[in-house]
Amino acid sequence: MGKSPGIPRLLRRLNDRSALELLLADGPLTRAELGELTGLSKVTAGQLLARLEERGLVEVAGERAGGRGPHAALYAVVPSSAYVAGLEVLPDSLKVGVADITGRIVVEITLNPSDTRDPVRAVHAAVQRACATAGVDIARLHAFVIGTRGVVDPRSGDVRWSYDLPSWHVGVLASLRETLGVPVTIENDVNLVALAEHRYGAATGHDDFAVMWAGIGQGLGVMLGGRLHRGISGGAGEIGWLPVPGEPLPADVSQPQSGSYQRLVGQSALRDLAEAHGVTGVSVADQVRHGGDAFLDEVAGRLAVGAAAVAVVLDPGLIVLSGDIGRAGGARLADKVEKAVARICPSQPRVVTTGVAGNPVLRGALVAALEQAREQVFSDTV
């Protein structure tokens, strides 16, 4: 029986993909270095580079001095071969970032849309503005990921409900895809923060961890075995509703501030706690940043209730504190939470502060968009 004609094509595609990923991670590389890392012969590596250069995906980006012989050409991925966009939607603003295929952010802007009742028009205008600012044709975007508060249905991709963004309803995703003419994904904002922590931050090298978002609202992003855990309905991580001792259970789940854990660690609860300790500041985050040990010990004790609940159910080993409160408290607060969790939880996870610079939701949106774009662009080389 003869060989399938599709096998050489498949192998070339796999080799191309592997080479492009290596050039992104370790590049620029010479032909010999690429051959060594991929296990391909110099001839095959040369053919591969020529093919990728012809497709506009790879270019000569300098040369490396050798011994006595001629200098070897250095190859790198062409940054402008594809672009992606990420967006964070808040009740009163839209933050948009555009990155090239290497992950370099070429522009980041914040807009305050005049009409938040039409999310499709607002997003389209924001993306157009970002692309114009970056000098990138909107047609060159290969993927677009939107981070939003609320629950996203993992089956349909639509926002199932969001208290802050009532206009983000079923049908918005289809309209965005049609209007933008590019693959669009909507994702829960804290899930995107987990992707950012995994790629760039405190959870690099950890495939099992949880991000606890402590801010205006409470959220949880969970990664297990290197994959986000969203839950059947997309509701995994809505930790504000966690029942806690001493706090009343919600009488009406349509009231976002009525969750027991939200009552314990929400902005008004921490503001009252700061006042009781005589801690002043323009915001709760400011109070946490400058508060004394007694105040921070109490904040840590409250956060530890949520962290311990996560640890006894999932045992992720690592919990990353993020959000305004987590960022403001830094390593000092994380250390106190870790000690407080160890007193009430047998699995004793490490608790660390966020390691993501800049806007973590936007960074996560770009991570997700880049994964999609590279899958599309790098798999279509043959």
Side-chain angles (χ1 to χ4, degrees):
M1 190 169 74
K3 287 182 182 175
S4 164
I7 296 296
R9 184 183 174 87
L10 175 64
L11 288 174
R12 280 201 301 273
R13 183 177 286 141
L14 291 171
N15 287 339
D16 288 358
R17 176 72 191 258
S18 174
L20 286 161
E21 295 285 4
L22 282 166
L23 287 169
L24 279 177
D26 305 323
L29 298 168
T30 65
R31 184 186 64 169
E33 287 167 344
L34 192 63
E36 208 173 297
L37 288 167
T38 55
L40 300 173
S41 69
K42 276 189 182 180
V43 172
T44 307
Q47 290 169 342
L48 178 154
L49 286 166
R51 185 165 62 246
L52 295 177
E53 206 172 356
E54 195 181 319
R55 296 297 297 266
L57 294 174
V58 161
E59 63 187 353
V60 175
E63 53 182 31
R64 178 161 290 150
R68 297 176 191 168
H71 293 182
L74 281 167
Y75 293 89
V77 172
V78 177
S80 60
S81 57
Y83 291 91
V84 300
L87 188 144
E88 181 186 21
V89 180
L90 293 167
D92 54 359
S93 69
L94 294 173
K95 298 172 194 270
V96 190
V98 175
D100 65 33
I101 197 71
T102 69
R104 184 179 69 92
I105 297 171
V106 294
V107 70
E108 198 173 308
I109 62 170
T110 300
L111 296 173
N112 300 96
S114 53
D115 183 7
T116 54
R117 289 169 300 179
D118 187 349
V120 177
R121 184 183 293 178
V123 167
H124 190 217
V127 177
Q128 283 180 316
R129 173 80 68 86
C131 285
T133 306
V136 173
D137 189 327
I138 199 167
R140 302 188 69 192
L141 292 181
H142 283 254
F144 187 59
V145 175
I146 300 170
T148 178
R149 295 175 185 171
V151 172
V152 179
D153 188 323
R155 288 158 296 195
S156 68
D158 274 303
V159 177
R160 204 157 56 78
W161 53 259
S162 175
Y163 298 115
D164 297 323
L165 303 159
S167 58
W168 283 75
H169 48 71
V170 171
V172 168
L173 181 60
S175 299
L176 281 168
R177 286 173 174 165
E178 192 180 331
T179 305
L180 291 169
V182 64
V184 179
T185 305
I186 303 175
E187 180 65 89
N188 171 266
D189 54 356
V190 187
N191 282 346
L192 292 178
V193 174
L195 290 181
E197 293 289 357
H198 190 234
R199 177 68 62 88
Y200 304 112
T204 305
H206 296 265
D207 283 347
D208 295 86
F209 68 94
V211 170
M212 276 186 67
W213 181 272
I216 292 171
Q218 314 310 312
L220 186 76
V222 177
M223 188 170 280
L224 300 173
R227 296 182 63 176
L228 283 175
H229 177 72
R230 296 177 176 87
I232 292 295
S233 66
E238 293 295 318
I239 198 172
W241 299 104
L242 183 77
V244 295
E247 292 294 332
L249 293 174
D252 180 0
V253 291
S254 68
Q255 299 300 313
Q257 300 302 313
S258 66
S260 301
Y261 189 61
Q262 176 67 31
R263 287 174 184 268
L264 185 70
V265 296
Q267 298 277 303
S268 57
L270 295 189
R271 197 174 287 115
D272 291 346
L273 188 62
E275 206 173 285
H277 281 269
V279 179
T280 58
V282 293
S283 66
V284 176
D286 196 43
Q287 290 168 327
V288 167
R289 189 177 291 110
H290 301 295
D293 276 337
F295 170 58
L296 270 199
D297 282 341
E298 281 210 51
V299 173
R302 293 183 179 205
L303 289 172
V305 172
V310 172
V312 294
V313 175
L314 298 176
D315 190 18
L318 177 70
I319 293 174
V320 182
L321 287 186
S322 189
D324 294 344
I325 306 302
R327 199 175 279 258
R332 188 167 154 232
L333 178 61
D335 184 55
K336 287 178 180 294
V337 173
E338 183 174 306
K339 288 185 170 73
V341 173
R343 288 194 290 271
I344 57 173
C345 170
S347 59
Q348 302 192 358
R350 278 182 60 223
V351 180
V352 297
T353 191
T354 173
V356 178
N359 182 324
V361 177
L362 208 52
R363 292 296 297 276
L366 290 170
V367 167
L370 282 165
E371 281 178 12
Q372 291 178 27
R374 288 171 184 170
E375 183 63 42
Q376 184 190 128
V377 175
F378 292 178
S379 298
D380 187 27
T381 59
V382 181

